[in-house]
Amino acid sequence: MAITGGQAIICALEAEGVELVFGYPGGAILPVFDSLRESSKIHYVLVRQEQAAAHAASGYARATGRVGVCMATSGPGATNLITGIATAYMDSIPLVAITGQVAVDLIGRDAFQEVDITGATEPFSKHNYLVKNVNDIPRVIKEAFHIASTGRPGPVLIDIPKDVALSSINFKYPDTVDLKGYKPNYEGHPLQIKKVVKAIKESKKPLICVGGGAILSDAAQEILELAEKVNVPVAMTLMGIGGFPGSHPLNLGLLGIYGTQAANTAVNEADLLLLLGARMGDRATGNLDKFAKKAIIAHIDIDPAEIGKNVEVDIPIVGDLKGIVKEINKLNADKKESNWAEELMAKDRLPAQYVEGKGLDPKEIIQELSKMSNNDMIVATDVGQHQMWTSQYYKVEKPGTFITSGGLGTMGYGLPAAIGAKMSDTEREVLLITGDGSFQMNLTELATAAQENLKMKIILFNNSSLGMVRELQQQSFESRYFSVHMTGNPDFSKIAEAYGLKSIRVTDKKDIKNALKEILESKDGILGEFFINLDVNVVPYREGI
């Protein structure tokens, strides 16, 4: 039986097991939305701006390990998705974004709400399609989900002209894909694996650096086994948080310009550095001229393009991290009896220093929160100082329970990502930690949470400032502060009330514990606003780490 292209898209999404779609409608995508309305298998979530649809799909993908799906119309709807697509691309998050497009015969003629979205997203999507023939829809969607979720995950965009979505098709969904030239390599080379084991045996000061690939490949248990078996300390990138238990004695904490003294000292002194699923961006390495100069570097990653891109590598291995570390564990590297790990444990793992002044100490709040939270709760953050304080002081014990924008550093990511994570399992505790700058970027998504009856828990650090930018101006521009003071901030308690959330305001140190307890135990949506000291920085300035 013939169906429309729009119906074919929904049938294909259902065949892929999609249960949630985040989106915002518009003229060119209406044939698809008209079919989505009839689906009994897909729950559709109307967000308040298209960027939030991509972030929510990203949060859902991170919480579940499944492909997140978002949808928007042509023109501004599509371009509003771009930040979310780029955010997912930088953090290797599996996403399928479906956009409407003007009719095929209008493409290239500056029609109303026309934009070349496939061209615009080409640099930061894993792949994209402009579908001009309705009969290609089943194959394209099958391929899109395969590409998004295999190898190094990433976003795939499908652009559907309106007339294609209205055309007829005899729908049959393919069982397999046949993509010539796209065959991710999962098996690590046996000789290279033996070289890594030999290097571990010969090293006296080995160090593991865990990246986001550890979580994406579900390799946390294998890495834990390796670290404990050989007695190797572990540092991590921002995206690697959760890939190794936060309270484990071998965990040195965050590496890089906002990292701990223990982790950065370990990199400088190590004679062997095992990079596990870490792309080693500039925030993790700091000054490359000084990075790990005494170490043999082995880099394991599913994406060959990442190996050697930022850091020179002695032993490259391309493949799935979980399987490769499992093979390394089988080859029985000896346990290190040196004091290397113990010496590092004694170093400071908490770089920030509290400055006396007006307002609360954010690190004290995060530390108390970490003590009081359960290990299954998902913590999402926005981007800014609060993100770094959380990465430094909150002990993340399990993979997939820390959601943040790492590579792109997207302010406004936190709330919609938390909504996406909460939508994946409404019974699960999800806590957003945000700042007054980031929170206002997608504040309207509180309406999405209210619409879906989500009991969101939010901790808002309010210093009436773009704190991280202010800190950079302090460190690099002789405290010539400009455009960082958020005068005109709203009364966030009234904002919370307007969207049906309880709210509490904390200005006194003695109230911190009780406020956190109330937030964590609340059965309703709640916003806790903590007024923090403006002069507290993430880290004292250290040139050329």
Side-chain angles (χ1 to χ4, degrees):
M1 184 179 73
I3 60 176
T4 68
Q7 289 173 315
I9 290 169
I10 302 307
C11 288
L13 295 181
E14 291 177 347
E16 289 294 333
V18 172
E19 56 188 11
L20 277 169
V21 170
F22 302 90
Y24 202 99
I29 196 72
L30 278 185
V32 181
F33 271 73
D34 192 52
S35 302
L36 178 59
R37 177 182 60 84
E38 298 174 346
S39 176
S40 60
K41 298 179 180 177
I42 300 174
H43 180 79
Y44 169 71
V45 180
L46 172 65
V47 298
R48 296 307 188 261
Q49 206 255 29
E50 292 88 348
Q51 183 189 125
H55 292 331
S58 170
Y60 169 84
R62 293 190 188 199
T64 63
R66 304 184 64 190
V67 177
V69 180
C70 57
M71 198 175 288
T73 192
S74 62
T79 55
N80 280 343
L81 284 180
I82 283 179
T83 299
I85 292 171
T87 302
Y89 180 77
M90 292 291 282
D91 292 341
S92 307
I93 305 304
L95 213 68
V96 168
I98 299 172
T99 50
Q101 183 56 278
V102 301
V104 172
D105 64 348
L106 293 177
I107 292 176
R109 299 172 65 181
D110 292 337
F112 176 68
Q113 290 194 334
E114 182 198 359
V115 71
D116 178 9
I117 193 62
T118 53
T121 57
E122 195 276 336
F124 43 79
S125 59
K126 190 173 178 184
H127 195 60
N128 59 35
Y129 297 88
L130 171 58
V131 183
K132 293 185 176 180
N133 186 327
V134 68
N135 293 309
D136 290 337
I137 286 176
R139 173 185 60 79
V140 165
I141 291 185
K142 185 73 178 178
E143 290 177 0
F145 275 81
H146 178 71
I147 293 170
S149 60
T150 55
R152 178 179 178 175
V156 177
L157 181 135
I158 305 170
D159 199 25
I160 308 283
K162 186 173 184 178
D163 56 333
V164 172
L166 290 169
S167 299
S168 295
I169 174 179
N170 290 312
F171 181 79
K172 182 180 179 183
Y173 201 59
D175 296 324
T176 59
V177 296
D178 181 19
L179 288 165
K180 292 180 175 56
Y182 178 73
K183 297 191 183 305
N185 178 54
Y186 290 92
E187 302 294 331
H189 195 289
L191 291 179
Q192 295 296 89
I193 292 174
K194 287 181 179 177
K195 284 184 181 179
V196 169
V197 174
K198 181 173 182 290
I200 293 173
K201 289 179 176 178
E202 293 175 351
S203 68
K204 297 187 182 304
K205 295 182 176 181
L207 174 68
I208 290 173
C209 176
V210 173
I215 296 167
L216 293 168
S217 69
D218 189 26
Q221 185 58 42
E222 286 74 16
I223 293 170
L224 177 63
E225 181 182 342
L226 173 63
E228 291 183 337
K229 181 185 290 184
V230 188
N231 193 30
V232 183
V234 178
M236 54 191 55
T237 68
L238 183 64
M239 295 306 297
I241 290 176
F244 193 79
S247 60
H248 195 286
L250 287 171
N251 191 330
L252 302 179
L254 190 66
L255 175 69
I257 61 175
Y258 295 115
T260 67
Q261 182 183 350
N264 287 319
T265 300
V267 166
N268 289 335
E269 297 299 322
D271 61 3
L272 173 64
L273 178 57
L274 304 175
L275 304 178
L276 306 184
R279 64 181 182 84
M280 305 313 294
D282 56 312
R283 267 192 166 187
T285 63
N287 187 342
L288 280 172
D289 292 335
K290 299 179 180 179
F291 183 78
K293 287 304 175 186
K294 300 176 183 176
I296 293 171
I297 298 180
H299 195 168
I300 303 170
D301 202 288
I302 191 75
D303 185 355
E306 289 299 337
I307 296 178
K309 185 170 79 176
N310 295 323
V311 176
E312 289 188 19
V313 174
D314 301 289
I315 310 174
I317 305 181
V318 177
D320 176 58
L321 184 61
K322 183 182 182 74
I324 292 171
V325 177
K326 190 177 289 185
E327 291 302 312
I328 292 173
N329 287 335
K330 289 179 183 174
L331 295 177
N332 294 324
D334 297 330
K335 181 173 182 177
K336 302 296 175 187
E337 301 297 342
S338 73
N339 295 325
W340 162 241
E342 287 74 13
E343 291 170 2
L344 291 168
M345 295 303 115
K347 293 189 178 297
D348 181 14
R349 301 188 216 179
L350 304 173
Q353 302 295 322
Y354 180 66
V355 178
E356 290 296 335
K358 185 179 179 182
L360 304 172
D361 178 2
K363 80 175 191 300
E364 179 183 348
I365 300 168
I366 297 290
Q367 285 176 316
E368 286 297 335
L369 175 69
S370 187
K371 291 175 189 172
M372 298 167 70
S373 303
N374 71 67
N375 295 340
D376 289 322
M377 184 174 75
I378 293 175
V379 173
T381 80
D382 258 304
V383 169
Q385 288 177 310
H386 69 275
Q387 178 193 37
M388 290 299 114
W389 288 320
T390 306
S391 68
Q392 292 167 341
Y393 296 103
Y394 190 87
K395 302 293 185 187
V396 180
E397 304 293 345
K398 294 183 177 181
T401 58
F402 181 64
I403 296 176
T404 195
S405 170
L408 201 63
T410 304
M411 292 177 68
Y413 174 81
L415 178 57
I419 289 172
K422 186 71 174 176
M423 286 296 299
S424 72
D425 181 355
T426 55
E427 296 301 315
R428 192 167 183 184
E429 296 292 333
V430 177
L431 174 72
L432 168 66
I433 301 176
T434 186
D436 57 296
S438 280
F439 191 47
Q440 292 183 81
M441 283 202 167
N442 269 317
L443 187 60
T444 52
E445 296 310 318
L446 288 175
T448 304
Q451 162 194 285
E452 299 297 325
N453 197 29
L454 301 178
K455 311 301 183 189
M456 302 301 297
K457 297 182 178 183
I458 300 169
I459 288 179
L460 171 64
F461 283 167
N462 189 349
N463 59 6
S464 297
S465 172
L466 298 176
M468 185 63 88
V469 182
R470 182 183 183 276
E471 182 173 335
L472 293 172
Q473 289 180 344
Q474 181 184 101
Q475 294 170 344
S476 301
F477 295 91
E478 299 175 337
S479 299
R480 295 191 295 275
Y481 302 127
F482 178 70
S483 189
V484 293
H485 300 299
M486 305 291 280
T487 53
N489 268 352
D491 183 332
F492 289 105
S493 63
K494 290 184 178 177
I495 294 282
E497 182 183 359
Y499 286 106
L501 277 74
K502 292 171 55 180
S503 68
I504 50 178
R505 311 180 89 190
V506 186
T507 57
D508 195 317
K509 174 184 170 72
K510 68 178 174 53
D511 297 326
I512 290 175
K513 288 184 181 179
N514 285 338
L516 292 174
K517 185 173 185 292
E518 182 175 351
I519 292 168
L520 292 173
E521 293 181 353
S522 176
K523 301 301 181 187
D524 299 313
I526 185 168
L527 182 145
E529 185 179 8
F530 294 78
F531 292 85
I532 64 169
N533 185 346
L534 176 63
D535 292 319
V536 177
N537 283 345
V538 172
V539 63
Y541 183 64
R542 290 178 290 172
E543 185 177 8
I545 291 173

